[in-house]
Amino acid sequence: QAQLVESGGGSVQAGDSLRLSCTYSGHTFSNSAIGWYRQVPGKEREFVAVINWSATTTYYTDSVTGRSAIWRDRAKNTVYLRMDSLKPEDTAVYYCAAAEGGSTTDFIGAASKSWGQGTQVTVSS
């Protein structure tokens, strides 16, 4: 059964760094672009970052550009998201997602995605 499992969330102080992991299983995800979204209560889920299937292309939302990095270890079937200089407004549940197609464009434009269960990140000032 194909699935995505996030880990690495927690409570940190503003200015700290955090690394989230998304471990995937199922043959379709190895050839998929995989990315991260986040959501706070009462708001829509927000795109954060994505990496294509071959790890040659990445794309970030403006609010995390310059202080985040996404990469994947295909041998471990894992995608990582590191965020530095964390701010209270980064507080959210972070979700890993995968879509059909291997490009970042496919991912962003996909109407249907597979989702993990989410991991909470809380940043205190």
Side-chain angles (χ1 to χ4, degrees), residues 42-102:
K43 293 189 176 181
E44 291 188 359
R45 202 166 287 191
E46 173 193 28
F47 166 79
V48 178
V50 61
I51 187 167
N52 72 335
W53 75 276
S54 60
T56 55
T57 304
T58 60
Y59 182 70
Y60 303 87
T61 191
D62 288 347
S63 62
V64 306
T65 296
R67 60 186 184 94
S68 296
I70 185 171
W71 70 99
R72 69 194 296 168
D73 186 333
R74 293 177 63 81
K76 295 183 178 180
N77 286 353
T78 300
V79 170
Y80 302 94
L81 176 68
R82 177 184 172 91
M83 298 182 66
D84 299 322
S85 303
L86 284 162
K87 307 172 183 179
E89 51 264 44
D90 292 319
T91 294
V93 177
Y94 283 71
Y95 295 92
C96 176
E100 292 294 325

Side-chain angles (χ1 to χ4, degrees), residues 5-38:
V5 179
E6 302 96 333
S7 61
S11 297
V12 297
Q13 296 292 314
D16 286 350
S17 298
L18 204 63
R19 188 184 78 173
L20 305 179
S21 301
C22 171
T23 300
Y24 53 88
S25 59
H27 70 282
T28 56
F29 294 151
S30 294
N31 296 323
S32 298
I34 293 180
W36 292 89
Y37 282 74
R38 63 188 180 187

